[in-house]
Amino acid sequence: MECRQSQIVSGADMIATGAIYAGVRFYAGYPITPASTIYTAMMSDLPKLGGIAIGAPDEISALCYCVGASLRGMKAMTATSGPGFTLMVETIGYALMTETPVVIALAQRLGPSTGAATQSAQGDILLAEYCISGGYPLPVICPTRPSDAYEAVIRAVNIAETLRTPVVLLTEKELTMTWETVDLARLPYLEVKDRPMFRRDEPYLTYGFKQPADPPLFAPVGGPFKVTITGSAHNREGELIKDGPDAVAMLGHLDVKIRRHMPEITWVKYDPQAGSETLVISYGVTDRAARAAVQTARIQGLAVSHLTIYSLFPVPESILMSSISGIKRVIIPEENISGLYRSVLLPHLNAEEVIGINKVASLITPDEILAGILKKPCKD
Amino acid sequence: MIASALPVEGATQAPLNKMAIGDYLDENKEAPYCKGCGHIHIDKSLARALDLLSMDPGKVAVVSDIGCMGLVDSMLKTHTVHTTHGRSPAFAAGIELADALYGDSALKTIVMIGDGGATIGLLHLVELARMNPDVTVLIHNNFLYGMTGGQHSGFTPVNFITSTTLGGNIIPPIDICGMLATCNAGFLARVLATDHNLPEVIAQSISYPGFALVEILELCTGYGTRFNPQIQNKIKADLKQQGRRLGILSQDQDKKEFAISYKEKSHPADRADQRPEEGIPRLFAHQLTAPLRLIMGGTAGEGVQSAAHLFTVAAVLSGLFTAQKNDNPVTVGTGFSTSELIFSPDEILFNGISMPDAVLITSGSGLKRLEGMLVRMNPEGLAVVEADLTIPQVPGRVLRPSFRGLIPDPKNVNLAAVAAYLKHHPFLPIDALKEAIRRRGKGVEEALDAVERGYQAI
């Protein structure tokens, strides 16, 4: 394979590069391993482009700064790890309720609590998705390697902007702090999308969606139209109301706005093989070992299908439904104790066996996944 | 003092008095406060202040906090952002920075926060005082949390009775103005909500081009005066006893607004881009047909990770794919330093190392960290270990050169180890490593010398 523009870059570099390409011009950060390298990359690169990158006194402030800047009209992003993400949860809920675009990169480390800062893990996946009080969907995008981290962050920014929602870019130490050869000339081309702006000559309603699934048109704070932003339950005008049909309509809107835009959010790589009865489903860093294991299994003459899920949430149900057809065994490797994503996928997997390969505090190896693939199916 | 005599950012050119309170505050709307509450005085005084300054309501953003005072947004005709508890100053800072540095810098951002919000969000106030963004903060200090039933806050005076200090508060209150003075806040004032000059003081705080804070003292009629019937006459006496003055406490005209300092410092013209635009060319050939997994370790500060990086550059110059993972103890400047490297003729899938094909160790702390890897290395592989060190039984071949006596600068010891390894396993040419060093462009001579000595060492 001939490379034309090889560089040695970290996943953090690719996240910063992709974010800048996607139009992010505001970054606020607080140091935390293994997300600090995203922070330092943005502090170095954004000011050169006339953007703003600042340090905050804590993760709460970092995300509040981002949301404030986004309300003024900038594309904004921050990055953190598990301990900082838990501090940001309040503001993620606020961004969701106020329909403010923002991207939060969550570089996982081994938890709970301080855990191990430089130990890879996939233990924050449910924390990322289910952190919204009230239970509203939050898009979660998860790259597997530096080259697709670039694509992932562009997609995350595009989703945040077009649907006016916070988006979590879920990654981990193995991606942000590993330096790898990437051919920059082979990075995919992606269209950059902006938030839908209000420009019409008619009264402006801050949350004036036309159809429940439509994101409302955006007008910046300080722009020509008066905006009324609130994190409290509200109507289309942004007035506080706690019950009644307008409040219920708004809450329903927050739900369907995400769920009815699955085609824009869904991102998977489906690698089927004819006649296979085994399907490996993987995401994040573990996907790399899974891909190696599937490759080896095929060389050994086994038919194995492979599904990589990048858009972890909302769960790509229709893809799962089509890829499960004819499959008897599903293998889901994850770097967490109990199989967190497996527990979410289980209701969608109509197979005889759903097997988790789980491990913490070290990488799951291709051999461990291969052993799962080669294991004889259980017969009752 | 007439506030409009000061330079006002965001003020329109409209003549004074063209605007009216009604342009900012919808007076037809019923105030959402208890009878006798001071909040409405503050709201009207804010509107009066904006009127005094002839500000365009479309160029004002009021960022309100949680609490009764936060209900002000229902009456305002400016932009409003109703936020979470205590976080209003931080959201306001984001709005203001975006406006000042990326927008037209015409927006005035004003925070309305209670003593409860100032308690939970104290760090944001400290940070804004230090940063000095163009944000005005009005603290509605009524000494307790009114909306939730009259509980005590960080601003509750000693002996004050609240629903959670039934015998009287025993913890002295935060002196927010005193505290923020120590953080170099540019503009600080303390006034009573009933003071006649409240609109003028607020106008001055808004005119101030930087962080300005006004602590406005008032009483909660729902709980404060009910629990403390004598308090009305005691506020001023209590303040005096605490040594807390009323009025404008400080007004530093020389402070530089954050956005101005940021613009000056953040665009250094001579700053070179650390990451080159063009790719690393393929100048050499490699001999690998399968991935090679190598791990190297030594002492922090002796260039393990930078030698490893140069090794990967040499590999890319030879047409290989690479992966590098570094590790240190919690503090990076002490103990061991290691790098895991993978070289592959094809794109690397799994990038972990369970059985290394090569181990390079240059010091005792490196050995201590990597001993486990050394004993389970590939029997077909090759290790390079500093001669001074005592090592266990190793499955593969081991070279034992003495770099310590050979290389003048310990920073280049690990580069010498790489050269020694390449001599005995030349999967890429030593010239590729030398080219990587030349491309780095600093300490070239010493590094090339170390490579030469390492290459000849064994």
Side-chain angles (χ1 to χ4, degrees):
Chain A
M1 202 181 317
E2 196 60 46
C3 289
R4 287 173 291 167
Q5 203 185 341
S6 292
Q7 274 291 358
I8 296 168
V9 292
S10 69
D13 288 330
M14 294 314 293
I15 289 172
T17 305
I20 287 169
Y21 173 82
V24 170
R25 289 295 178 274
F26 188 97
Y27 186 95
Y30 185 85
I32 185 166
T33 307
S36 300
T37 38
I38 302 173
Y39 176 32
T40 47
M42 292 301 258
M43 290 295 269
S44 156
D45 291 355
L46 267 190
K48 293 178 202 160
L49 299 164
I52 308 166
I54 56 165
D58 60 10
E59 288 90 344
I60 297 172
S61 307
L63 188 54
C64 289
Y65 292 172
C66 289
V67 169
S70 182
L71 287 170
R72 183 68 188 87
M74 295 184 77
K75 290 187 184 180
M77 179 180 156
T78 185
T80 187
S81 186
F85 187 84
T86 54
L87 292 180
M88 289 180 177
V89 166
E90 174 189 46
T91 313
I92 298 173
Y94 182 77
L96 189 132
M97 185 60 144
T98 57
E99 305 192 48
T100 308
V102 69
V103 171
I104 304 104
L106 166 51
Q108 296 168 98
R109 54 160 70 186
L110 184 72
S113 189
T114 306
T118 54
Q119 199 66 56
S120 162
Q122 295 181 304
D124 297 350
I125 175 168
L126 300 193
L127 170 68
E129 175 58 16
Y130 298 130
C131 69
I132 303 296
S133 167
Y136 289 83
L138 181 63
V140 177
I141 308 296
C142 178
T144 68
R145 64 190 68 213
S147 54
D148 62 35
Y150 173 82
E151 180 170 352
V153 68
I154 298 168
R155 283 174 177 265
V157 174
N158 281 350
I159 293 166
E161 294 293 321
T162 53
L163 298 184
R164 289 189 60 178
T165 178
V167 173
V168 175
L169 180 76
L170 186 72
T171 178
E172 69 277 298
K173 175 261 166 191
E174 287 297 325
L175 188 133
T176 57
M177 294 179 68
T178 302
W179 281 260
E180 297 196 54
T181 314
V182 173
D183 184 357
L184 302 182
R186 282 171 55 207
L187 290 175
Y189 169 77
L190 276 95
E191 188 191 342
V192 171
K193 295 175 183 170
D194 298 322
R195 60 188 77 168
M197 299 292 287
F198 181 83
R199 300 181 203 281
R200 283 196 286 277
D201 192 17
E202 61 185 70
Y204 178 64
L205 300 182
T206 303
Y207 301 107
F209 57 85
K210 291 272 189 280
Q211 297 297 321
D214 292 348
L217 299 175
F218 179 84
V221 170
F225 309 101
K226 171 187 159 44
V227 298
T228 307
I229 303 290
T230 181
S232 299
H234 53 267
N235 58 17
R236 292 175 195 212
E237 285 80 7
E239 295 165 348
L240 190 155
I241 46 161
K242 62 174 185 176
D243 53 17
D246 286 355
V248 173
M250 184 58 64
L251 297 171
H253 156 71
L254 292 175
D255 187 70
V256 301
K257 182 181 76 168
I258 304 301
R259 298 198 194 283
R260 296 233 184 111
H261 285 91
M262 285 303 285
E264 289 103 298
I265 298 169
T266 299
W267 179 26
V268 301
K269 185 172 178 177
Y270 182 40
D271 177 14
Q273 217 179 17
S276 69
E277 295 185 343
T278 302
L279 171 70
V280 178
I281 300 178
S282 55
Y283 65 93
V285 64
T286 314
D287 178 71
R288 304 180 65 148
R291 199 167 293 183
V294 167
Q295 223 173 55
T296 310
R298 287 175 181 173
I299 290 167
Q300 293 181 12
L302 273 116
V304 188
S305 291
H306 186 198
L307 177 67
T308 303
I309 303 181
Y310 300 94
S311 58
L312 298 174
F313 291 100
V315 171
E317 293 173 16
S318 57
I319 304 274
L320 284 171
M321 209 185 291
S322 57
S323 58
I324 200 74
S325 154
I327 295 295
K328 292 188 174 157
R329 300 169 72 231
V330 178
I331 295 167
I332 307 175
E334 288 178 270
E335 264 186 60
N336 54 55
I337 290 271
S338 61
L340 299 174
Y341 198 43
R342 176 162 46 101
S343 71
V344 172
L345 297 185
L346 212 47
H348 307 285
L349 300 175
N350 182 23
E352 284 172 18
E353 264 190 296
V354 178
I355 301 161
I357 295 174
N358 296 87
K359 195 161 111 175
V360 289
S362 67
L363 289 174
I364 296 173
T365 65
D367 285 349
E368 287 165 333
I369 299 171
L370 188 63
I373 295 172
L374 296 175
K375 218 175 87 182
K376 288 270 181 289
C378 298
K379 294 276 185 226
D380 289 328
Chain B
M1 185 181 172
I2 301 297
S4 56
L6 298 167
V8 181
E9 193 189 357
T12 63
Q13 297 303 309
L16 261 165
N17 300 326
K18 197 180 169 193
M19 313 297 282
I21 287 187
D23 292 319
Y24 308 100
L25 198 69
D26 189 342
E27 291 172 302
N28 298 321
K29 280 200 177 159
E30 198 184 338
Y33 311 123
C34 302
K35 197 162 179 260
C37 176
H39 291 346
I40 191 65
H41 289 300
I42 302 174
D43 298 346
K44 285 185 174 172
S45 298
L46 170 64
R48 169 53 65 188
L50 294 171
D51 176 32
L52 281 171
L53 299 169
S54 298
M55 291 184 74
D56 175 355
K59 292 295 173 195
V60 175
V62 174
V63 183
S64 62
D65 212 86
I66 296 293
C68 299
M69 38 56 58
L71 299 171
V72 64
D73 59 338
S74 65
M75 297 182 290
L76 285 168
K77 294 182 174 179
T78 63
H79 296 284
T80 58
V81 181
H82 184 57
T83 67
T84 48
H85 196 32
R87 312 299 168 209
S88 51
F91 287 108
I95 294 170
E96 156 58 20
L97 295 183
D99 183 64
L101 292 161
Y102 217 68
D104 55 9
S105 197
L107 185 69
K108 183 74 201 191
T109 306
I110 299 165
V111 170
M112 302 281 261
I113 189 171
D115 53 296
T119 302
I120 190 172
L122 192 58
L123 178 60
H124 305 302
L125 295 173
V126 168
E127 185 68 6
L128 262 61
R130 294 174 54 233
M131 280 172 80
N132 201 34
D134 188 18
V135 172
T136 298
V137 177
L138 306 180
I139 297 186
H140 303 52
N141 180 6
N142 61 7
F143 314 123
L144 49 72
Y145 295 82
M147 195 176 245
T148 48
Q151 296 87 352
H152 70 288
S153 77
F155 289 66
T156 305
V158 171
N159 294 327
F160 200 73
I161 294 169
T162 70
S163 63
T164 46
T165 53
L166 296 171
N169 179 37
I170 53 174
I171 306 174
I174 295 163
D175 173 1
I176 191 69
C177 289
M179 180 178 184
L180 296 184
T182 68
C183 304
N184 285 317
F187 182 104
L188 292 167
R190 185 186 292 119
V191 289
L192 303 181
T194 48
D195 281 350
H196 294 303
N197 67 341
L198 181 60
E200 285 76 15
V201 173
I202 293 176
Q204 275 189 267
S205 70
I206 293 171
S207 300
Y208 183 79
F211 176 76
L213 180 136
V214 186
E215 181 188 14
I216 306 166
L217 306 173
E218 50 170 331
L219 286 168
C220 170
T221 47
Y223 300 102
T225 48
R226 185 148 63 90
F227 291 144
N228 306 271
Q230 303 305 317
I231 188 73
Q232 202 93 43
N233 310 317
K234 280 183 65 211
I235 290 187
K236 281 191 181 179
D238 278 1
L239 285 171
K240 199 167 179 186
Q241 200 185 352
Q242 292 161 18
R244 299 187 190 180
R245 287 190 297 119
L246 286 167
I248 292 174
L249 308 173
S250 69
Q251 196 169 184
D252 182 352
Q253 297 300 345
D254 299 325
K255 273 203 86 165
K256 207 180 266 184
E257 193 191 317
F258 177 83
I260 295 169
S261 308
Y262 186 89
K263 270 182 203 158
E264 286 172 2
K265 287 275 184 198
S266 294
H267 302 271
D270 57 346
R271 179 129 136 231
D273 196 339
Q274 297 298 305
R275 281 177 284 164
E277 295 291 322
E278 74 277 15
I280 300 169
R282 183 174 184 164
L283 302 176
F284 303 92
H286 67 81
Q287 309 294 328
L288 284 186
T289 52
L292 174 80
R293 295 171 194 271
L294 180 150
I295 183 155
M296 54 192 286
T299 299
E302 291 191 356
V304 176
Q305 295 169 9
S306 57
H309 174 68
L310 289 169
F311 202 174
T312 60
V313 174
V316 177
L317 284 165
S318 308
L320 289 165
F321 287 86
T322 63
Q324 178 178 358
K325 292 182 200 180
N326 301 330
D327 197 14
N328 305 93
V330 176
T331 52
V332 295
T334 57
F336 69 86
S337 173
T338 65
S339 288
E340 287 182 22
L341 301 176
I342 300 174
F343 305 98
S344 172
D346 303 305
E347 208 164 342
I348 296 162
L349 290 178
F350 179 63
N351 69 7
I353 298 181
S354 19
M355 183 177 75
D357 302 307
V359 181
L360 315 186
I361 295 171
T362 55
S363 78
S365 30
L367 175 64
K368 200 171 162 196
R369 182 67 182 173
L370 297 184
E371 199 165 322
M373 280 290 188
L374 193 60
V375 298
R376 67 166 189 271
M377 73 175 284
N378 184 349
E380 313 274 297
L382 175 66
V384 177
V385 183
E386 166 69 37
D388 297 350
L389 305 169
T390 310
I391 57 167
Q393 191 71 34
V394 179
R397 191 155 74 98
V398 190
L399 303 175
R400 304 299 307 271
S402 177
F403 299 117
R404 295 279 154 189
L406 212 60
I407 312 298
D409 185 351
K411 271 195 166 47
N412 286 323
V413 160
N414 289 282
L415 213 42
V418 170
Y421 176 79
L422 277 178
K423 181 178 180 182
H424 293 269
H425 187 231
F427 72 95
L428 56 86
I430 194 73
D431 285 348
L433 185 62
K434 292 178 182 170
E435 175 61 19
I437 290 165
R438 285 189 204 98
R439 286 174 162 260
R440 183 178 64 174
K442 57 173 185 190
V444 173
E445 290 313 312
E446 298 81 351
L448 287 176
D449 180 59
V451 165
E452 205 51 54
R453 288 170 193 251
Y455 200 73
Q456 304 300 340
I458 196 158

